[in-house]
Amino acid sequence: MSIWYALVDLLPFQWAEPGGMLFMKNALLAVLIISPLFGLLSTMVVENHMAFFSDALGHSAFTGIAIGTLCGFIDATWCAVILAVVFALLFTWVQQKTKLASDTIIGVFASTAIALGIFVSTLNGHSFTKFNSLLIGDILSVSPGKIAILAVILLLVLILWAARLNQLALTAVYPILADSRGIRTGLLEALFNCAIAIVVTLSLSWVGLLVINSLLVLPGAAARNIARNMRQYTLFTLLGATLSGIAGLLISFYVGTSTGASITLCLALFFVLTFCLHKRR
């Protein structure tokens, strides 16, 4: 982290002065890692018509945190990660075994997960208010350890993208054709869904349950307006997500607003701009 702090010290901001506001420097690094992660996953979320999948995963992560807290774990995040991965794998299995549309299956899982989470968190008359912070999130509380974990996940996702991008794209657009060409669509979908589950769960306490779905939908939706091929689509999504993440963090710091909401509004503005550019063509 010392190298990162030395680089941030060069920025022309008051909070970037040497030795000061380490929480803001940690948050900036987290945004620079989270934004590309959400951007990459957003491309496939939009193409697979799974806009509300992350919302359902957020609910399952909330349930995992409630269960972990009830069991007395010091850090309930890992309980939430395990439950979210199980949730993602179960969703993939049900999706492959039924003829129901994806949004219907997502609705079933999401409603069940949130009901179970509320049930567990209010068991024996306990108050739900202790989980209110998960609804809004606080990226300024991110620790260097969690940032390192997200950096490893980003590296793994980049490797997956570099090795399987064409197969992922074909599976998303023409799953029957992909299957006929010998592509293991079930395995790819399971890996993709597990990646979303882990990223959403680890980011939930920083971004907030109320807006985390937007971070997985808006970057891809905005880039889709102006992209002419898959490379442009990925590039515009990454640029839009990263720039919106940095802008949202700075706005939240200087204005005193929720970082997750500020990033979401920047992404919404990015969507409006690309929509206007698309209309002019």
Side-chain angles (χ1 to χ4, degrees):
M1 293 296 291
S2 59
I3 297 177
W4 169 249
Y5 293 150
L7 291 174
V8 177
D9 291 343
L10 301 176
L11 296 176
F13 300 110
Q14 183 179 2
W15 53 265
E17 294 178 354
M21 296 191 183
L22 294 183
F23 65 90
M24 187 62 180
K25 297 174 183 178
N26 292 340
L28 177 60
L29 180 56
V31 165
L32 291 176
I33 294 174
I34 290 175
S35 297
L37 261 176
F38 276 95
L40 285 174
L41 296 175
S42 177
T43 58
M44 293 297 105
V45 166
V46 173
E47 293 303 310
N48 279 288
H49 307 288
M50 297 172 63
F52 292 101
F53 182 58
S54 58
D55 197 34
L57 285 172
H59 293 157
S60 70
F62 162 74
T63 302
I65 291 175
I67 293 174
T69 303
L70 182 66
C71 295
F73 294 137
I74 297 177
D75 188 358
T77 302
W78 297 112
C79 181
V81 170
I82 293 173
L83 185 61
V85 169
V86 172
F87 180 98
L89 292 174
L90 186 59
F91 169 83
T92 305
W93 181 78
V94 172
Q95 187 182 36
Q96 294 173 355
K97 297 296 181 180
T98 183
K99 295 181 179 180
L100 292 174
S102 295
D103 58 347
T104 302
I105 304 173
I106 291 172
V108 171
F109 276 79
S111 57
T112 303
I114 192 62
L116 181 59
I118 295 174
F119 176 84
V120 172
S121 61
T122 57
L123 198 63
N124 294 324
H126 287 96
S127 175
F128 178 83
T129 54
K130 61 183 177 181
F131 297 103
N132 283 348
S133 60
L134 295 176
L135 300 179
I136 299 177
D138 180 18
I139 200 170
L140 298 181
S141 64
V142 62
S143 64
K146 293 290 179 65
I147 295 175
I149 294 173
L150 282 174
V152 172
I153 295 173
L154 174 59
L155 177 61
L156 294 175
V157 171
L158 286 173
I159 293 174
L160 175 64
W161 239 249
R164 304 295 181 185
L165 177 59
N166 291 334
Q167 294 182 5
L168 283 168
L170 185 60
T171 300
V173 180
Y174 300 110
I176 298 178
L177 178 60
D179 188 61
S180 67
R181 292 190 174 185
I183 297 175
R184 302 177 66 179
T185 57
L187 178 60
L188 283 177
E189 289 176 352
L191 288 174
F192 171 68
N193 291 341
C194 285
I196 297 178
I198 295 172
V199 172
V200 166
T201 305
L202 291 178
S203 308
L204 182 63
S205 60
W206 311 328
V207 179
L209 178 60
L210 295 178
V211 298
I212 199 165
N213 183 60
S214 305
L215 303 187
L216 271 173
V217 176
L218 285 173
R224 199 72 179 86
N225 286 330
I226 55 176
R228 295 182 177 179
N229 52 56
M230 195 63 191
R231 289 185 179 180
Q232 288 186 6
Y233 186 28
T234 303
L235 177 61
F236 293 152
T237 302
L238 288 174
L239 287 176
T242 303
L243 292 177
S244 297
I246 296 173
L249 176 63
L250 294 178
I251 290 172
S252 69
F253 176 77
Y254 288 108
V255 181
T257 55
S258 164
T259 304
S262 300
I263 294 174
T264 300
L265 290 176
C266 289
L267 285 171
L269 178 60
F270 175 49
F271 177 84
V272 172
L273 291 175
T274 57
F275 179 78
C276 293
L277 290 174
H278 171 72
K279 282 296 184 180
R280 287 184 177 182
R281 291 184 176 182

